[in-house]
Amino acid sequence: MALLITDECINCDVCEPECPNEAITQGDSIYVIDPNKCTECVGHYDTPQCVEVCPVDCIPHDPDHVESKDQLQVKYERLIAAKG
Ligand code: SF4
Ligand code: SF4
């Protein structure tokens, strides 16, 4: 399952550099997560790094992008392959 940043985001900029997949970017008003790049940190870390650092706890799971750990692992491997 990819994660999602809600409108409680205070644009503190802390999560963006922590993402190993460069899935977090500044959107129009708040930060956004690209569900095609978020692996819940599977492949890199044991826990989602953005959730660890977010001071307002505004990064829940995205119910529109439900994925198993195996699917997240496949996504991770695809991202690594694309990086070359
Ligand atoms: S869970 Fe990991 S991969 Fe997904 S947006 Fe957060 S830091 Fe990036
Ligand atoms: S850490 Fe949380 S509050 Fe800060 S920019 Fe990221 S999502 Fe927004």
Side-chain angles (χ1 to χ4, degrees), residues 3-83:
L3 302 189
L4 172 77
I5 295 174
T6 72
D7 60 9
E8 289 166 66
C9 171
I10 56 170
N11 289 313
C12 74
D13 307 334
V14 169
C15 58
E16 189 260 333
E18 297 299 325
C19 180
N21 296 324
E22 296 176 1
I24 303 175
T25 54
Q26 171 84 70
D28 288 340
S29 54
I30 55 171
Y31 276 79
V32 291
I33 292 175
D34 180 346
N36 294 314
K37 290 185 176 175
C38 176
T39 64
E40 275 187 57
C41 285
V42 165
H44 292 283
Y45 300 102
D46 290 339
T47 53
Q49 297 300 290
C50 54
V51 175
E52 296 278 333
V53 298
C54 180
V56 294
D57 263 346
C58 68
I59 317 181
H61 286 107
D62 182 349
D64 291 334
H65 292 94
V66 179
E67 294 156 298
S68 69
K69 187 150 187 182
D70 284 349
Q71 286 173 309
L72 291 168
Q73 181 71 28
V74 168
K75 191 196 287 187
Y76 161 75
E77 285 165 12
R78 198 179 63 229
L79 288 168
I80 292 298
K83 265 188 180 174

